[in-house]
């Protein structure tokens, strides 16, 4: 929150990561994972949390109920179709919550009325009003969403919203369900709604999808015209191209408070932690250049940028990384980084060097960076010979061989104190290597998928590889680059395995209990 701007109106942040986000393919979460994310959203300070769609499945019901009983600060919301059965389910699941909201949706556009609902305008109106009255009687706050509102005739949309407001809905969520609107169009619509409901105890809400990449722009345009609730998700996950991304909306409102003149109650310092939790909960990473939370969002690798940044960060930074909870030391060093950046990083690590020693280190740094790799603090310390590395396991040696039908890989892995030797077969060298690495830790991955692609960059042939598998129903994905696809796949597998070793898995033996690997002493 911008404490110096408390007199500015507040925009309610309605998070639907656990509902709209979770229902997207590849983003489903189990109950305990949802609870973990819910706690993170609570710490983040969202006002309303849509915890699920209780009538959708017994699992969804149980997750909403669990979140409603565990969290006390935010309003907990459950989605319901405009039927008594759905509303009763939602009310039941929400009953342990301190503050409950039932979110009712019903198609309003001609397409939805005709082809999905087979209902006339009057029938839609009547069903909506009955549903809202029924929900109000449960004692919960009631939010109503005309589904596909942005493709609904304005006269009917207004008639419908008037009617549900009269029936007791206090939040009117004008949903751009299919991501069709544009900023100018949605600003005009919210301008008219704002006038229509002025002076009444009604919150106008926006719910935008990103099919045309406009979800955040449209949400902000709605806020400009008077919307006081934004529905959004962490990392922008959600149906199809996703929902408006919470972190982008919130940071736009904060960074350009001069323009929007509103505030939110979000603790922006929690953004990175929440984003990373959601990425690992669903096993779907955000793209590197994703605004606010992508790994490159605050990285200024190019030497000339880094020099400017060090003189005054505002030369290239409109937001401070600390404001989203990012440690400045995560600034990336790479092949474009100059002496200045490397020297500063060493100083920051308390390892400043005399000129000659620095030059020698810089040459080794460039050699490493020229392989197309990022150079982390740990890498730098390793170059210095500190060997502090990382308790993590690394690939010491790889050998590949082939039989008529299969490939075989043998690996030597070490974590600095212990070595493991393991061999495994696979249908190709990439799979054999990945299997050797996972087998060294007694892991038996299910649904193993290994993909790679060549990357032509600066006349060097690099490869990128993705490794994906699940263990005890938890999905692990990792990505890495390497000098060829096999080595990239090996690095990716090692990253995934390191995650398993660091975080542990239910029913997993601790690393010191692994038995089948062969110790081959130092
Ligand atoms: Mn949606």
């Amino acid at each position: 929150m911008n404490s110096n701007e408390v007199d500015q109106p507040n925009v309610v942040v309605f998070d639907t990561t656990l509902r709209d986000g979770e229902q997207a393919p590849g983003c489903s979460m189990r109950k305990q994972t949802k609870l973990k994310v819910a706690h993170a959203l609570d710490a983040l300070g969202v006002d309303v949390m849509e915890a699920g769609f209780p009538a959708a499945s017994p699992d969804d019901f149980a997750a909403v109920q669990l979140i409603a009983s565990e969290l006390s600060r935010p309003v907990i919301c459950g989605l319901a179709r405009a039927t008594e059965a759905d509303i009763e389910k939602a009310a039941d699941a929400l009953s342990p919550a301190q503050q409950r909201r039932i979110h009712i949706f019903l198609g309003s556009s001609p397409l939805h009325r005709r082809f999905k609902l087979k209902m006339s305008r009057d029938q839609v109106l009547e069903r909506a009003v009955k549903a809202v009255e029924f929900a109000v009687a449960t004692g919960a706050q009631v939010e109503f969403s005309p589904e596909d509102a942005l493709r609904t005739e304005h006269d009917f949309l207004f008639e419908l919203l008037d009617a549900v407001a009269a029936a007791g809905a206090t939040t009117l969520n004008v949903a751009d369900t299919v991501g069709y609107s544009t900023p100018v169009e949605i600003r005009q619509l919210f301008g008219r709604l704002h006038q229509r409901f002025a002076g009444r105890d009604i919150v106008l809400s926006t719910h935008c999808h990103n099919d045309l990449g406009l979800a955040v722009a449209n949400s902000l345009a709605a806020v400009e015209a008077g919307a006081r609730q934004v529905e959004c998700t962490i990392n922008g996950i959600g149906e199809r191209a996703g929902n408006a991304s919470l972190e982008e909306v919130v940071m736009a409102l904060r960074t350009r408070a001069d323009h929007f003149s509103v505030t939110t109650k979000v603790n922006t310092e929690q953004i990175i932690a929440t984003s990373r939790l959601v990425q690992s909960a669903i096993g779907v990473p955000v793209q590197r250049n994703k605004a606010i939370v992508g790994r490159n969002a605050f990285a200024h690798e190019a030497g000339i940028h880094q020099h400017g940044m060090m003189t005054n960060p505002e030369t290239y930074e409109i937001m401070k990384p600390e404001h989203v909870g990012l440690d400045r030391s995560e600034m990336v060093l790479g092949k474009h980084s100059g002496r200045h950046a490397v020297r500063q990083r060493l100083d920051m690590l308390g390892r400043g060097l005399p000129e000659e020693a620095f030059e020698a280190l810089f040459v080794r740094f460039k050699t490493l960076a020229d392989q197309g790799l990022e150079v982390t603090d740990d890498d730098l310390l390793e170059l210095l010979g500190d060997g502090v590395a990382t308790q993590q396991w690394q690939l010491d040696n790889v050998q590949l061989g082939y039989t008529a039908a299969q490939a075989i890989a043998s690996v030597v892995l070490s974590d600095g104190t212990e070595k493991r030797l393991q061999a495994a077969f696979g249908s190709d060298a990439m799979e054999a290597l990945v299997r050797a690495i996972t087998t060294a830790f007694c892991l038996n991955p299910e649904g193993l998928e290994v993909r790679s692609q060549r990357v032509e960059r600066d006349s060097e042939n690099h490869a990128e590889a993705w490794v994906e598998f699940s263990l005890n129903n938890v999905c692990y994905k990792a990505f890495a680059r390497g000098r060829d696809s096999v080595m990239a796949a090996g690095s990716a597998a090692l990253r995934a395995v390191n995650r398993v070793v660091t975080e542990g898995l239910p029913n997993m033996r601790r690393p010191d209990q692994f038995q089948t690997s062969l110790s081959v002493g130092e």
Side-chain angles (χ1 to χ4, degrees):
M1 181 169 41
N2 301 343
S3 53
N4 54 337
E5 284 150 6
V6 282
D7 48 337
Q8 292 185 334
N10 184 59
V11 169
V12 172
V13 173
F14 177 115
D15 179 275
T16 184
T17 304
L18 295 171
R19 201 278 299 168
D20 210 328
E22 201 260 354
Q23 77 193 40
C27 295
S28 62
M29 286 174 246
R30 296 188 310 167
K31 193 172 70 178
Q32 289 301 330
T33 309
K34 279 187 165 185
L35 181 63
K36 237 189 193 175
V37 172
H39 279 297
L41 293 169
D42 188 11
L44 182 66
V46 304
D47 302 276
V48 186
M49 192 183 298
E50 189 162 55
F53 184 177
S57 73
D59 266 7
D60 235 14
F61 182 95
V64 174
Q65 196 175 40
L66 180 66
I67 291 166
S69 55
E70 293 273 325
L71 272 67
S72 54
R73 186 197 53 82
V75 176
I76 309 296
C77 178
L79 185 70
R81 284 165 296 194
T83 66
E84 292 194 358
D86 268 31
I87 294 165
E88 268 169 356
K89 273 259 160 57
D92 270 4
L94 291 169
S95 61
Q98 307 276 322
Q99 300 182 78
R100 312 187 297 280
R101 178 179 298 186
I102 296 175
H103 177 192
I104 300 167
F105 71 100
L106 182 61
S108 60
S109 67
L111 280 164
H112 279 238
R113 293 195 311 260
R114 184 159 162 219
F115 294 103
K116 194 173 98 175
L117 301 170
K118 303 194 191 325
M119 285 166 74
S120 68
R121 282 186 178 198
D122 285 348
Q123 287 170 316
V124 166
L125 202 71
E126 194 192 322
R127 160 101 58 106
V129 167
K130 267 176 79 175
V132 168
E133 284 171 345
F134 188 76
V136 168
T138 68
Q141 305 174 8
V142 177
E143 168 169 337
F144 182 83
S145 290
E147 197 188 357
D148 201 15
L150 268 294
R151 291 192 299 173
T152 301
E153 310 92 325
H154 280 192
D155 64 329
F156 178 58
L157 181 64
F158 295 158
E159 196 185 349
L160 179 60
L161 293 175
D162 283 346
V164 293
T170 50
T171 298
L172 304 179
N173 179 46
V174 182
D176 187 16
T177 310
V178 293
Y180 181 72
S181 198
T182 70
V184 168
E185 181 184 73
I186 203 166
R187 191 185 293 110
Q188 284 169 350
L189 175 62
F190 272 82
R192 291 183 66 185
L193 290 168
H194 184 60
Q195 280 185 344
R196 193 173 189 91
F197 291 98
R200 294 169 59 183
D201 208 8
I202 295 286
V203 174
L204 294 174
S205 168
T206 175
H207 176 112
C208 296
H209 277 270
N210 208 29
D211 298 71
L212 295 172
L214 291 171
V216 170
N218 286 341
S219 303
L220 294 171
V223 168
E224 285 173 345
R228 287 297 173 262
Q229 172 175 292
V230 176
E231 301 200 354
C232 45
T233 60
I234 300 296
N235 301 337
I237 64 171
E239 294 259 43
R240 304 181 311 281
N243 288 66
S245 128
L246 181 147
E247 59 276 12
E248 293 177 25
V249 169
V250 165
M251 287 312 290
L253 294 178
R254 174 174 175 161
T255 306
R256 296 306 311 275
D258 62 314
H259 173 78
F260 292 104
S261 302
V262 294
T263 61
T264 72
K265 296 202 185 88
V266 168
N267 307 314
T268 60
E269 290 75 11
Q270 292 294 320
I271 282 177
I272 292 289
T274 316
S275 165
R276 289 184 181 166
L277 175 66
V278 170
Q279 292 178 60
S280 80
I282 60 179
V284 178
V286 297
Q287 85 235 30
R288 286 190 73 112
N289 63 332
K290 163 85 176 62
I292 316 295
V293 296
R295 290 184 59 207
N296 282 4
F298 290 90
H300 301 268
E301 189 186 304
I304 190 157
H305 282 213
Q306 284 188 344
H307 189 97
M309 285 282 301
M310 278 171 254
T311 318
N312 180 352
E314 286 179 21
T315 46
Y316 289 100
E317 248 176 30
I318 59 166
M319 294 168 279
K320 290 194 191 314
E322 301 88 86
H323 288 169
V324 296
L326 190 68
D327 188 338
R328 203 173 269 278
S329 68
E330 292 183 51
M331 201 160 104
V332 175
L333 292 174
K335 63 189 290 181
H336 303 292
S337 298
R339 284 179 171 71
H340 210 87
V342 176
R343 205 189 300 271
Q344 199 203 34
R345 179 62 58 86
L346 287 171
D347 288 343
M348 227 170 65
L349 294 168
R351 296 299 314 265
L353 291 177
E355 194 55 37
E356 207 171 307
F358 176 80
E359 280 306 319
L361 176 93
F362 189 71
V363 171
R364 297 173 66 203
F365 162 79
K366 274 292 186 192
T367 313
L368 185 61
D370 281 344
Q371 291 167 34
L373 299 172
E374 281 164 19
V375 181
T376 63
D377 288 356
D378 288 337
D379 296 332
L380 262 190
L381 291 171
E382 272 189 12
L383 287 179
L384 279 171
D386 282 20
V388 256
T390 80
Q391 295 300 308
Q392 296 203 329
W393 290 85
Q394 307 196 336
L395 263 180
D396 274 7
N397 194 7
V398 175
Q399 289 187 46
L400 301 169
Y402 297 88
T403 67
Q406 280 186 304
I408 179 168
S410 73
V411 293
V412 180
L413 298 158
S414 81
D415 70 347
T417 55
E418 188 193 343
K419 281 187 191 292
R420 283 158 195 259
L421 178 68
Q422 186 72 50
F425 287 101
S427 59
D428 58 23
M430 288 199 300
E431 192 193 317
L433 179 54
V434 172
R435 290 206 181 275
I437 292 168
T438 53
T439 308
F441 292 87
C442 304
L443 302 173
N444 187 19
E446 286 161 31
L448 175 65
E449 252 189 76
V450 185
R451 285 167 290 143
S452 73
Q453 70 177 28
R454 283 195 173 281
V455 193
E456 303 280 343
R457 208 186 326 220
D458 305 339
S459 80
E460 294 163 14
N461 262 339
H462 292 296
E464 298 178 336
W466 294 262
V467 168
E468 184 177 342
F469 56 79
S470 50
L471 296 164
N472 299 346
N473 291 324
V474 178
C475 180
Y476 289 85
K477 292 182 190 180
F479 163 82
R481 278 180 281 173
R483 59 169 190 265
D484 59 40
S485 55
V486 177
M487 291 310 292
S491 301
L494 199 60
R495 281 195 179 173
V497 165
N498 272 316
R499 219 187 106 201
V500 178
V501 172
T502 320
E503 295 174 6
L505 264 184
N507 309 322
M508 199 189 92
R509 282 171 289 176
R510 291 201 318 277
D512 58 359
Q513 293 172 299
F514 291 121
Q515 286 152 10
T516 63
S517 67
L518 213 72
S519 276
V520 290
E522 284 295 296

